[in-house]
Amino acid sequence: MSVARPLTRAILALGSNLGEREGTLQSAVAELVDCPEVRLLNVSPVITTKPVGGPVGQPDFLNMVIAVDTTLSAMELLVHCQSVEQAHHRTRAVRWGARTLDVDIIVYGSVVSADPVLTLPHPRAAERAFVLYPWSLMDPHAMLAGKPVSELAAAAADMAGISHVQDVPLPQAP
């Protein structure tokens, strides 16, 4: 007899700056929740942002955040996210380089972990407007490390690089 695992709320950040960015984000959201262990709860608007770090001359990113409930462990969710990235031809040749798809686990419940494979909450999330701003649009009451996500977004150095919200049709939470 198997024991049902509890649901854990996770926030996932998605970004793309190569190829058909809108289609990639649409497909990635659908693929992330196309398994019985992951249920879509909420979807942020898609924003356009300047690249942060990495090589100069990269195209702008489309970024978004989704909230899911999952019975997967944090490491299983990481493997699932990476498999979706690979399905979209993600390569990791250059740190913070251009990519077809990036999926990061920002928070996984209240788990705090310094594991080098999966640090939780995401170690740079509290300073990245490209994660914080769409998250605050999706959930104006969201908190990260005891601080309102909207306040963290407003203080983030890359907030000025957010140019507009894209109108990309995405799967809707039930």
Side-chain angles (χ1 to χ4, degrees):
M1 175 185 255
S2 67
V3 176
R5 292 191 199 178
L7 284 174
T8 300
R9 176 81 33 93
I11 301 296
L12 307 179
L14 292 80
S16 175
N17 75 336
L18 289 179
E20 176 50 44
R21 301 172 306 161
E22 295 92 349
T24 297
L25 291 178
Q26 289 171 341
S27 296
V29 171
E31 292 163 20
L32 285 164
V33 300
D34 189 30
C35 71
E37 298 87 5
V38 181
R39 183 172 58 111
L40 184 64
L41 297 175
N42 209 346
V43 179
S44 79
V46 177
I47 61 169
T48 303
T49 66
K50 298 293 180 198
V52 174
V56 296
Q58 293 185 53
D60 288 350
F61 274 87
L62 292 186
N63 289 100
M64 64 176 299
V65 174
I66 65 173
V68 299
D69 271 347
T70 184
T71 57
L72 297 174
S73 70
M75 286 304 218
E76 290 169 336
L77 183 59
L78 176 64
V79 168
H80 179 56
C81 291
Q82 290 175 339
S83 72
V84 171
E85 287 178 334
Q86 288 181 339
H88 290 274
H89 310 290
R90 166 72 191 265
T91 60
R92 298 179 186 277
V94 177
R95 184 171 189 198
W96 295 332
R99 63 207 79 154
T100 55
L101 180 64
D102 186 34
V103 181
D104 288 329
I105 301 172
I106 304 304
V107 295
Y108 179 85
S110 59
V111 172
V112 175
S113 168
D115 186 317
V117 175
L118 179 58
T119 304
L120 292 168
H122 189 285
R124 290 170 296 282
E127 49 197 57
R128 291 180 166 174
F130 66 84
V131 170
L132 299 164
Y133 182 64
W135 186 6
S136 71
L137 295 174
M138 179 182 77
D139 181 359
H141 304 292
M143 302 286 284
L144 178 62
K147 296 181 181 170
V149 168
S150 58
E151 287 180 19
L152 292 169
D158 63 317
M159 188 65 184
I162 295 174
S163 58
H164 67 281
V165 175
Q166 285 278 109
D167 202 16
V168 176
L170 295 162
Q172 298 300 306

